[in-house]
Amino acid sequence: MLAIPLWIAVLLGQVSLKLTISPVLWHAHEMLFGFTVAVIAGFLLTAGKAWTGLDTPRGAVLAALAGLWLAARLAAVFAPYGVYAVLDLLLLPLVAAILISVLLRAGSRRNVPLGVILLLLALANAAFHGAVSGLIDIEPVRALHAGLALIVMIECVIAGRVIPAFTQSALPGVRLKVPPMLEQATLGTTAIALAVWVLGPAHVFSAAVLGAAALLHVLRLLRWKPMRTRSRPILWVLHLAYAWLPIGLALLALAQLGVLGVSSGIHALAVGATGGLIIGMITRTARGHTGRPLKASRLETAAYALVACAAVLRVLLPLLAPQHLVIWLVAAAAAWGIAFALYLYVYSPWLVSTRLDGKDG
């Protein structure tokens, strides 16, 4: 709600922050390893309990993890760089260790790769801080691209489980079946495409693999019958967000060919796919875990639409009318900020109260 409008104000010279890294790197890092990682950690720790039946952190331990996360966000602006880096590097390994321990104790080996991806995210974060401080001879932005790629892979895996399951449970009579070969090809090709994009130079081969991954995601989405969800906002928000994955991959493919800059593809994946999936999942899961019906209100639907508009304003309109870039950036930041303000307004009272049905949250 605050970080994106603040970033645009900094970018346009309206606000000055005493940052120890460049504002662009601060913005990109905090949205990936601050905002998105917090949501992923919360989701996986919550899901880990559902998958295994074993307790995950709550009470004082969970508060300590949240406090560590908040301390790193504040240190980015108010503390020396070394303090910021140390605090920022602690959270992901802790969450990964907790999740992997719970999964192994329960024998839930199917989900262990998600814990491994968290460790890889921690490694990408370490590479970022190492690059910024001169300890590693790579561009910091390459580590950020690796972080985005790993986040996209988490989204591909989780979306493949929850979107069809949620769709079937909400629409009686709808049966969704994606061929296992298509699932494997989609995930495998996406992993290869993102790895080539992160690790290699721009090349026609990487463009081809990214394009192939985009096509496979389109085929996967069509199998989920997205048009059947038009009357259910709590469903269509997830389908619409997922549609930004092939768009983002296709835009990255074009960037590999030099047709356009890499920013469009990155923001399609970050704003459209990641932002859309987050607003859809944090509303649905919060409703479920507070004992409320899984039906979005008008304010929540407005939040969904605003995040979708933010993606269009940040990704597509700058391609069509680059001369109005500042207008699009300000409008996108406003739409994003209002969307998450609506979430805060609706959900804050629910999240600080006991469940309506009296069960454990």
Side-chain angles (χ1 to χ4, degrees), residues 265-281:
I266 287 173
H267 284 91
L269 296 174
V271 182
T274 303
L277 289 171
I278 284 174
I279 194 67
M281 288 300 294

Side-chain angles (χ1 to χ4, degrees), residues 304-329:
Y304 300 158
L306 283 166
V307 172
C309 286
V312 171
L313 288 162
R314 181 59 188 86
V315 177
L316 300 182
L317 292 186
L319 293 175
L320 298 175
Q323 68 274 21
H324 300 306
L325 178 60
V326 171
I327 295 175
W328 307 140
L329 292 178

Side-chain angles (χ1 to χ4, degrees), residues 148-160:
L148 176 62
L150 290 165
I151 287 168
V152 168
M153 285 308 304
I154 291 175
E155 293 167 354
C156 292
V157 173
I158 297 299

